[in-house]
Amino acid sequence: EKNLHLLSPHQVEIAKTLLELGQSHLFEHWAEPGVDDDEKRALFDQVTLLNANYPGGLESYIKTARELLADSKAGKNPFDGFTPSVPEGDILTFGDDNFIKFEEMGIREVGRAAFVLVAGGLGERLGYNGIKVALPRETTTGVCFLQHYIESVLALQEASYAYNLSQGDQGEKKIIPFVIMTSDDTHARTLQLLESNSYFGMEPKQVKLLKQEKVACLDDNEARLALDPQNKYRIQTKPHGHGDVHSLLFSSGLLNVWHDAGLRWVLFFQDTNGLLFNAIPAAIGVSATRQYHVNSLAVPRKAKEAIGGITKLTHINDGRTMVINVEYNQLDPLLRASSQYPDGDVNSSETGYSPFPGNINQLILELGPYIEELTKTKGGIKEFVNPKYKDASKTSFKSSTRLECMMQDYPKTLPPTARVGFTVMDAWFAYAPVKNNPEDAAKVPKGNPYHSATSGEMAIYRANSRILRKAGVYVADPVLEIFNGQEVEVWPRITWKPKWGLTFNDIKKKVSGSCSISQRSTMIVKGRNVFLENLSLDGALVIDDDGVEEDAKVRVGGSVHNKGWNIEKVDYKDTSVAEELRIRGFRIIKIEQLEKNGKE
Ligand code: UGB
């Protein structure tokens, strides 16, 4: 009351609403008028922002929080009344006829897609100090995740246009929109990475950054807003989760712009999966063939692996079903509570994998039905709360909590008529995230994937080696090595630019004769028009097609033998080595290579 005269009438209204919402503690410690007055007023700017960034404002946020906190306290199972079972979906095998057919269909369709990268997370589990999209996807070329994603989108755009042209479609070339969801933690550094690298070859107007805001933290079961420990005139805030991407897309107006431009698909993907674009053409092919409104990409999942399980849930009373991701921390209790899976999240003795496909959070939504649904929900996604209680009475928290939401929960509000499916691909081909720090990765149970910077890079070489093998190249077997306490297969370090080969058919056309690559070799293919013909490589080869006519064939053959590039071990504790290298446990030492351009 003593401070009321400092506030504008609008601020007084906000203060009254907060009091009605049980938030009087926000003002109780206020200093006498004359002390910290600007800070006091600034609280109302923050509340205005929090109101604007949540559908229904803080009032709605507090109401939902009280309900969810009460459910959590009562130990209510969010899947109450549902029984889990294994859903049916498409299981693709890389390189077979079915796969090739889906890839071709995908290339036809991808020119009508928009790509959305969610990159607002800091990656606390990885503990890396920079933004994750700036990390090298592999250190042979040093190309970072963001560059690889952009080059992949550009290559898909060209390939789709060329394919449709070859089919007699004279239409204009479509520009694939590329959206990045950032947060306060990642926005400035993402923008800087783009700007300082000329957007990695993409037109700046093709890229849109949408920044998610944080949500208010909660101190107790009454949903009293937590004060910021750094500033007693602010509410503490934390990230709301990747589910924000839907409301941001909705409020940006981009969806209707895309619809009017004739686009049909929206693809969502995460910050560090270096293999993801291998899977995109076939997955879009599945979406188009099955006419899926929602298609989630999945890989075989090891029990307890930190990826959600795609599960069919059937309601015991009315038989209603949904196919949905059950997050990794909820799968085990859900299964244990069922009669069919009393042992919880365990591997099947027949396959050695969890019977539930692992969600890699790559979603393909059909734009029309997506707009219809968001028009109803405004992009609001079912939320959850995960308080860490002090003791079994569940009356107080160890630290403040907040509501969270996940992008893959989008189907939860869909009507039963919605066509929701999923597509399973081999993990070696489609999934290699970089999420765990070296210490945690080394503790992963034997046989489960490490999800570390070490495994993420080695997975690129393995996938490329296996793809070339399937295309007829003799690629030597890998050797086993231990880096940062993790045993991994080390294959020849083979990388190529996305434009060299996006689909299996593309790649098959680029290799012929009898080609071989030894285990200690490194091969970097930069140009689209490079053709490997009777190449025998034992060492390092860097090859580009620049310097010749656009559609000239640059044939690369014969025997290449040199000292090559070596892998040198690095300890993750060795701070004299750059962080992005030491988290891998190795670095590449370039000794000798053959480097040629198109003319040579
Ligand atoms: N992200 C944001 O953009 N904003 C946020 O507020 C939070 C995250 P994590 P998580 O495929 O491997 C997910 O932390 O949440 C971005 C799925 O839920 O890497 O542990 C962030 O930048 C899970 O079902 O993953 O688990 C990153 O790009 C499983 O599929 C992305 O969201 C798992 O990923 C994911 O954030 C997986």
Side-chain angles (χ1 to χ4, degrees), residues 347-364:
N347 289 324
S348 136
S349 55
E350 277 163 37
T351 62
Y353 284 92
S354 156
F356 296 89
N359 165 47
I360 63 170
N361 242 14
Q362 151 72 53
L363 310 175
I364 306 177

Side-chain angles (χ1 to χ4, degrees), residues 118 120-121 125 212 241-242 270-271 327-328 359 408 431 435:
V118 291
R125 276 195 274 154
Q212 62 176 150
H242 37 70
Q270 303 195 147
D271 48 18
E327 200 56 338
Y328 43 91
N359 165 47
Q408 66 270 37
Y431 186 57
K435 300 206 181 200

